[in-house]
Amino acid sequence: KIILYVLTIIISIAYIYFGRQIALQGYPEWENPAEEPMTVRVTEIVSDTITESERVLVFEAKVLKGELKGETITSDQTIYANYYPQQEPVTVGDKVLVFANTYTEGMDWSMLEYYRSDSILILGIIFAVVILVFGRFKGVNTLISLAFTVLAVFAVFVPSVLSGQNIYVWAIVTCIYTIVMTMLLVNGADKKSFAAGMGCFLGVAIAGLLTVIMDKILMLTGMLNEDTLYLQMIQTQNPIDLKGIIFAAIVIGAMGAIMDVAMDIASSLNELRTNIPDISSSKLIKSGFNIGRDVMGTMANTLVLAYIGSSLSTTLLLVAYNVTFVELMNMELIVVELLQALVGSIGILMSIPMTSFICAAIYPKRS
């Protein structure tokens, strides 16, 4: 088990490293690469000028990072009256990001945004502590698998998409890697992990197949909003497949929920077989179905509510502009959100019987 655990970590590191090298092939070179903003802490408000169109605060701040660390600079924050969202006015002690100002005469620096990473980091530490206290060694494995999953998505999958490579292939590879790595790190190579992994694979495969079929039936274009329009402008010679992005969003988004349900079924049936060794396979399958029905309701709600929540602002805007219900339910943006929820839920439903049958087949019956 220790050898397999270490080997899984080594292979995961290799996948992230070499996968990123492959994913970066064809990666666009930005004409104007973004400059790193400077982190400062406000020490004094020099002036606060309010007019009908804007409010300008000039403040002094101490540089916290970079080549100018420790020095004091003068920067400004401009809050426009008719521009939303409006930033909160800075106060002494605030931690903010500033950038080199090339627009305002007589001012070298301007405020970009509040520095929020430290607060998120504290919340992340609390999350990690709770996992470690509750999960102990398995909590450590959970955090490691979570880190590899995040790296697989943001360090490998996202660059491959921006490079104009085949999104379908990379989405499938990402799902396979994430499922295998998570099962091996969190639970080890046992029958429970095998049953949950196979149930998850089959559920995700059905979700992906349904997505491809419904893509043809619904005649989707992938042009959901202005963000997708900008995506096509990134790669003019090798355009990004917008319909492939829909496929990836559905299978990767559904994978986590399907994996959760498959592991619930596999773990529950494993406990049943352990505590009632002579339970028959038919009763084990029936128990899996009953457990799955309880899990199904809440997990389906989780997917539906998550996707509805992600597009809530757009939906509210459309309703506010008196878009009819028929038109609303046929807009591609709304249809894709409904497709994600329904396909993901079907994947969950199909993983329940599949995992139950696999568990009944591989969990040995003992007298």
Side-chain angles (χ1 to χ4, degrees), residues 9 12-13 16 144-153 177 181 185:
I9 292 180
S12 295
I13 295 173
I16 299 299
I144 294 175
S145 67
L146 178 61
F148 280 131
T149 299
V150 171
L151 288 173
V153 173
Y177 162 76
M181 177 271 300
L185 286 183

Side-chain angles (χ1 to χ4, degrees), residues 35-106:
E35 296 183 2
E36 188 75 21
M38 193 162 58
T39 307
V40 302
R41 187 180 297 279
V42 179
T43 56
E44 181 183 354
I45 305 297
V46 178
S47 64
D48 186 357
T49 305
I50 302 177
T51 63
E52 293 183 359
S53 59
E54 63 184 21
R55 178 180 181 180
V56 180
L57 292 96
V58 178
F59 59 89
E60 290 186 351
K62 184 178 181 180
V63 181
L64 302 179
K65 299 178 182 178
E67 298 178 356
L68 302 178
K69 182 178 179 180
E71 297 186 14
T72 298
I73 64 167
T74 302
S75 178
D76 71 330
Q77 178 194 28
T78 303
I79 304 173
Y80 296 99
N82 298 321
Y83 181 81
Y84 297 93
Q86 293 184 342
Q87 291 179 336
E88 290 291 326
V90 295
T91 58
V92 175
D94 287 345
K95 204 173 179 180
V96 300
L97 297 174
V98 298
F99 65 97
N101 189 351
T102 57
Y103 304 101
T104 306
E105 184 177 354

Side-chain angles (χ1 to χ4, degrees), residues 223-273:
M223 194 70 69
L224 306 180
N225 47 38
E226 61 181 12
D227 295 336
T228 53
L229 177 63
Y230 295 145
L231 278 177
Q232 279 210 317
M233 297 179 181
I234 293 176
Q235 283 279 18
T236 54
Q237 296 181 345
N238 190 19
I240 296 174
D241 186 357
L242 298 181
K243 293 195 289 185
I245 293 179
I246 294 176
F247 173 85
I250 291 177
V251 296
I252 293 178
M255 175 182 60
I258 295 173
M259 193 188 309
D260 187 11
V261 171
M263 179 51 70
D264 287 344
I265 301 296
S267 180
S268 300
L269 297 187
N270 181 62
E271 288 297 313
L272 273 175
R273 180 67 89 187

